[in-house]
């Protein structure tokens, strides 16, 4: 009985290690994940979060985007510099004012994809951001917390 328990524990540990390696090395296909957040189709699960000015998007947002009194390119540069502190750019550029990033969870390396676009609006510029998890149904609020934190850092 003791041998079976040890064998099962070893198998569980091996499975956890294999899963952690898989999630860290799974390729980030820009053709799939670099979407226009203004028109992207939401997952329908509790693992995505959208920030957008209400008047500029066809996608249902969770929160209205703040209006920043800077040109759209400058706003995209500011957002990119904050995002690159913890995420990796996989597609797009600041010059295009449309970028997609990947950020992986600390322990298992689950990838989350964040597509951001800077747009001109009355009074300045705003961001349209679509953050979503690749795996699972719920993200326990991780996407919302990340985007809210990044937006709060824009001065």
């Amino acid at each position: 009985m003791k041998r079976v328990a040890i064998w099962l524990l070893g198998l569980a540990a091996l499975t956890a290690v294999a899963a952690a390696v898989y999630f860290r090395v799974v390729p980030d296909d820009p053709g799939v994940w670099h979407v226009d957040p203004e028109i992207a189709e939401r997952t329908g699960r509790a693992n995505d979060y959208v920030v957008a000015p209400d008047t500029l998007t066809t996608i249902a947002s969770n929160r209205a985007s703040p209006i920043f009194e800077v040109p759209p390119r400058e706003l995209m540069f500011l957002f990119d510099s904050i995002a690159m502190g913890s995420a990796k750019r996989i597609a797009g550029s600041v010059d295009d004012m449309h970028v997609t990033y990947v950020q992986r969870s600390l322990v298992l390396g689950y990838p989350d994809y964040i597509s951001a676009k800077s747009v001109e609006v009355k009074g300045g510029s705003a961001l349209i951001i679509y953050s979503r998890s690749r795996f699972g149904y719920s993200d326990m609020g991780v996407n919302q917390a990340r985007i809210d934190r990044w937006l709060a850092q824009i001065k």
Side-chain angles (χ1 to χ4, degrees), residues 77-90:
F77 176 79
L78 290 167
F79 183 80
D80 184 71
S81 64
I82 292 165
M84 291 297 288
S86 58
K88 178 180 121 184
R89 191 181 309 119
I90 65 166

Side-chain angles (χ1 to χ4, degrees), residues 15-28 88 102-113 133-136:
T15 302
V17 168
V21 169
Y22 171 76
F23 291 127
R24 290 195 183 283
V25 300
V26 65
D28 304 312
K88 178 180 121 184
V102 63
Q103 184 172 12
R104 295 182 185 276
S105 65
L106 187 61
V107 177
L108 289 180
Y110 291 121
D112 289 341
Y113 298 94
S133 301
R134 180 169 180 174
F135 298 103

